[in-house]
Amino acid sequence: MTARDAWTVDRLHHALPHSASRQQLLADVNLTPLAELPAVLDRWTKAAETLQAADGRIAAARAQAATGKPLEDAGADHTADIQHDAGHRGDRQPGRGAA
């Protein structure tokens, strides 16, 4: 069993830090045709793994932000890249799921 095999939809859901991302994951899982589901889940797994790898940097940035001082070398905001890689699609139309 690889580390990737340990992921479940529930684990992915809990690994995502924002409710919008969690809702998008569930929408993608529910609205994606079965043949395309493995690729969608692979993208979400990569996004969750990327976020987990950044946990230490995120915690340090939060601690520094709590001091009220400007963040040192905050770097680029990669949130949009992570959402794109996960397959976040803002063009989804309500009612496109299976009945």
Side-chain angles (χ1 to χ4, degrees), residues 37-55:
L37 195 54
V40 168
L41 290 172
D42 282 344
R43 288 193 303 270
W44 277 106
T45 299
K46 181 180 175 189
E49 289 171 345
T50 299
L51 288 167
Q52 283 186 337
D55 275 348

Side-chain angles (χ1 to χ4, degrees), residues 22-84:
R22 292 188 293 267
Q23 289 173 341
Q24 187 63 50
L25 165 67
L26 296 177
D28 286 353
V29 168
N30 286 313
L31 299 175
T32 297
L34 290 177
E36 297 171 27
L37 195 54
V40 168
L41 290 172
D42 282 344
R43 288 193 303 270
W44 277 106
T45 299
K46 181 180 175 189
E49 289 171 345
T50 299
L51 288 167
Q52 283 186 337
D55 275 348
R57 293 190 320 265
I58 292 168
R62 284 183 178 149
Q64 186 173 349
T67 68
K69 297 177 185 175
L71 296 178
E72 297 173 15
D73 189 28
D77 180 357
H78 295 284
T79 303
D81 296 334
I82 292 170
Q83 287 181 332
H84 178 268

